[in-house]
Amino acid sequence: MLPGMCKNPLVDRDGPEVAQLMAAVAAEVSRRAAAVSGDVYEVILREIPELRDDESVLALLASSVHSNIGTCLQIMQHQIDLSAVQAPAASLEYARRRAQRGTPLTALLRAYRLGHACFSDWLVRELARQADDARLITAATLSMSRIVAGYVDQTSEEIVAAYTGERENWLRNRTTARAARIRDLLSGQRINVSATEATLGYRLRQYHVGVVCWTGHSVASVDNITRLEHAISHIAGKAACSDPVFLPRDVSSAWAWLPLGIRDTFDAAGASADGVDGDIRFAFGDAAKGASGFRLTHRQALAAQAVALAAGPAPRAVAFREVAPVAMMLGSADLLRAWVLTTLGGLAGDDEHQARLRETLLAFLQSGGSYKATAEQLMLHKNTVQYRIRKAEESLGRPVAQNRHDIELALRASHWLGRSVLRPGTAPAAD
């Protein structure tokens, strides 16, 4: 205990007595700075698992902790004005490295809060050892707390700025590099597979599913890309696919690839969009393998998207395997519509009556011409199916058996594309 420090009944926390005591406490704690830093370091790693995942930056974390503690002790020991202090270089670099690795900023800020508490414990224990006057201890505690809190607040702002700036640059550069690799990959030119995999952080020598996702709203929102990325992550999670490739295309659409590993099938229906914003739409390719499969499944997803967009109000999700023939017929919309109208005749009317007949006839053809299977699928009486097939043939102007393959394709086109390939209907809504 310093002499003469327990006699003053009124203590000014900014006065010389408090400053002298605080300097003495800081000097003593400085002698044990390595132990203090080690204690703070261990607390941070124990309490924040996200910061234990990268061995390559642990030494930088230790240096950041030691630098912050040393700087804060110097402020107290030498009464340095906080406005003249900047965050240590090691702390700023640690924030940048964490930004590059995608560590949540909340984890870094929590590390400062934990470090604040642990460091303050060391100061208070040393203060209690050096002084026994309650008023002096209280004043010194308040003064030290103000300095430490002010330092942490000021440094945290610099850390946030360093983190966010680096994160933006990193994402921009990474997106540019990934976009260039993907562009080369999709062009079909020869690529260095290992280098491409390293840039993408993604294995090409596996099965993939291409995805196109977009927002249904015509007005672009500033957070659309974030929403689309979350939507892809959600779909990937449902399909048990980790670390998909995500590539923004513009403010309202993105491309993605889901890694399937050795799985050579993908259930688009099972990758539920529940939990995703309702205005987001998806188009899926088929599972395909390797670099060539990466290109193929992407082209299939684009073709499926084209069908969804041509349909008017786009369905929530569409898979290429559901619409493959229609997608390949979309090369000329005018020719496709003319062919559908010619093939379906009166059945191509855009009204409820003809729509029911088309639905029944399509199910009938897809079931192999089974009235029973069609009735079970549509939950109708068998006689109702037979009646509808007869009425459909009347609208067609010929038996279904004549040119049934063209009829089925035309029905599938009308199912997916709706009024864009139908003629305005006027028939009554009756069976």
Side-chain angles (χ1 to χ4, degrees), residues 343-347 390-400 402:
T343 303
L344 296 184
L347 197 57
R390 185 168 67 253
K391 299 301 289 185
E393 289 181 325
E394 291 177 7
S395 293
L396 284 169
R398 63 186 184 280
V400 173
Q402 292 182 12

Side-chain angles (χ1 to χ4, degrees), residues 157-174:
E157 289 190 6
E158 294 184 63
I159 293 301
V160 169
Y163 178 97
T164 54
E166 182 64 22
R167 186 66 179 159
E168 290 174 3
N169 290 333
W170 178 262
L171 289 176
R172 188 182 302 114
N173 294 336
R174 187 184 68 168

Side-chain angles (χ1 to χ4, degrees), residues 362-404:
L362 179 58
F364 178 74
L365 294 175
Q366 290 178 332
S367 71
S370 169
Y371 290 104
K372 180 183 178 187
T374 304
E376 291 175 351
Q377 178 183 334
L378 300 180
M379 292 183 289
L380 297 171
H381 193 280
K382 182 178 177 181
N383 291 343
T384 301
V385 173
Q386 291 173 332
Y387 170 77
R388 288 188 182 180
I389 298 302
R390 185 168 67 253
K391 299 301 289 185
E393 289 181 325
E394 291 177 7
S395 293
L396 284 169
R398 63 186 184 280
V400 173
Q402 292 182 12
N403 210 13
R404 65 179 293 163

Side-chain angles (χ1 to χ4, degrees), residues 7 45 79 81 120 140 197 250-251 255 292 330 366 398:
K7 300 177 180 179
L45 291 188
Q79 300 181 50
D81 192 329
S120 295
E197 288 181 334
D250 52 41
V251 294
W255 296 344
S292 60
L330 270 179
Q366 290 178 332
R398 63 186 184 280

Side-chain angles (χ1 to χ4, degrees), residues 260-341:
L260 299 180
I262 62 173
R263 290 180 289 163
D264 59 358
T265 59
F266 176 77
D267 179 15
S272 172
D274 294 341
V276 173
D277 291 348
D279 66 315
I280 294 179
R281 303 288 183 263
F282 300 91
F284 299 95
D286 291 337
K289 188 178 183 181
S292 60
F294 190 92
R295 292 189 292 272
L296 175 60
T297 188
H298 173 67
R299 292 175 59 194
Q300 291 173 336
L302 289 175
Q305 182 197 28
V307 173
L309 294 175
R316 189 73 191 277
V318 57
F320 179 75
R321 65 175 57 252
E322 297 176 294
V323 300
V326 179
M328 290 182 283
M329 290 190 291
L330 270 179
S332 171
D334 291 340
L335 289 177
L336 175 59
R337 182 174 189 273
W339 179 78
V340 169
L341 294 179

Side-chain angles (χ1 to χ4, degrees), residues 136-368:
L136 187 58
I137 290 175
T138 299
T141 300
L142 290 174
S143 186
M144 289 190 299
S145 296
R146 181 181 59 189
I147 290 173
V148 176
Y151 176 80
V152 170
D153 180 61
Q154 180 174 298
T155 302
S156 295
E157 289 190 6
E158 294 184 63
I159 293 301
V160 169
Y163 178 97
T164 54
E166 182 64 22
R167 186 66 179 159
E168 290 174 3
N169 290 333
W170 178 262
L171 289 176
R172 188 182 302 114
N173 294 336
R174 187 184 68 168
T175 298
T176 300
R178 295 177 79 176
R181 290 289 188 180
I182 291 174
R183 186 166 55 248
D184 292 343
L185 188 53
L186 296 179
S187 72
Q189 63 180 275
R190 291 189 63 182
I191 61 166
N192 182 319
V193 172
S194 296
T196 300
E197 288 181 334
T199 300
L200 298 181
Y202 180 91
R203 285 194 305 114
L204 293 174
R205 289 162 279 205
Q206 63 175 322
Y207 284 94
H208 338 266
V209 165
V211 187
V212 177
C213 61
W214 68 100
T215 58
H217 291 160
S218 57
V219 179
S221 171
V222 293
D223 66 343
N224 273 345
I225 296 302
T226 299
R227 295 197 303 124
L228 292 174
E229 188 169 15
H230 288 167
I232 288 297
S233 295
H234 176 84
I235 292 294
K238 289 285 187 179
C241 302
S242 60
D243 299 324
V245 172
F246 178 83
L247 180 66
R249 294 298 298 158
D250 52 41
V251 294
S252 60
S253 67
W255 296 344
W257 287 261
L258 308 183
L260 299 180
I262 62 173
R263 290 180 289 163
D264 59 358
T265 59
F266 176 77
D267 179 15
S272 172
D274 294 341
V276 173
D277 291 348
D279 66 315
I280 294 179
R281 303 288 183 263
F282 300 91
F284 299 95
D286 291 337
K289 188 178 183 181
S292 60
F294 190 92
R295 292 189 292 272
L296 175 60
T297 188
H298 173 67
R299 292 175 59 194
Q300 291 173 336
L302 289 175
Q305 182 197 28
V307 173
L309 294 175
R316 189 73 191 277
V318 57
F320 179 75
R321 65 175 57 252
E322 297 176 294
V323 300
V326 179
M328 290 182 283
M329 290 190 291
L330 270 179
S332 171
D334 291 340
L335 289 177
L336 175 59
R337 182 174 189 273
W339 179 78
V340 169
L341 294 179
T342 299
T343 303
L344 296 184
L347 197 57
D350 184 20
D351 56 66
E352 293 184 21
H353 174 62
Q354 299 298 338
R356 276 194 291 270
L357 297 184
R358 287 195 301 271
E359 177 191 26
T360 305
L361 182 56
L362 179 58
F364 178 74
L365 294 175
Q366 290 178 332
S367 71

Side-chain angles (χ1 to χ4, degrees), residues 23-42:
V25 169
E28 185 58 34
V29 173
S30 293
R31 296 188 184 95
R32 289 175 283 168
V36 178
S37 299
D39 193 13
V40 171
Y41 176 83
E42 292 299 330

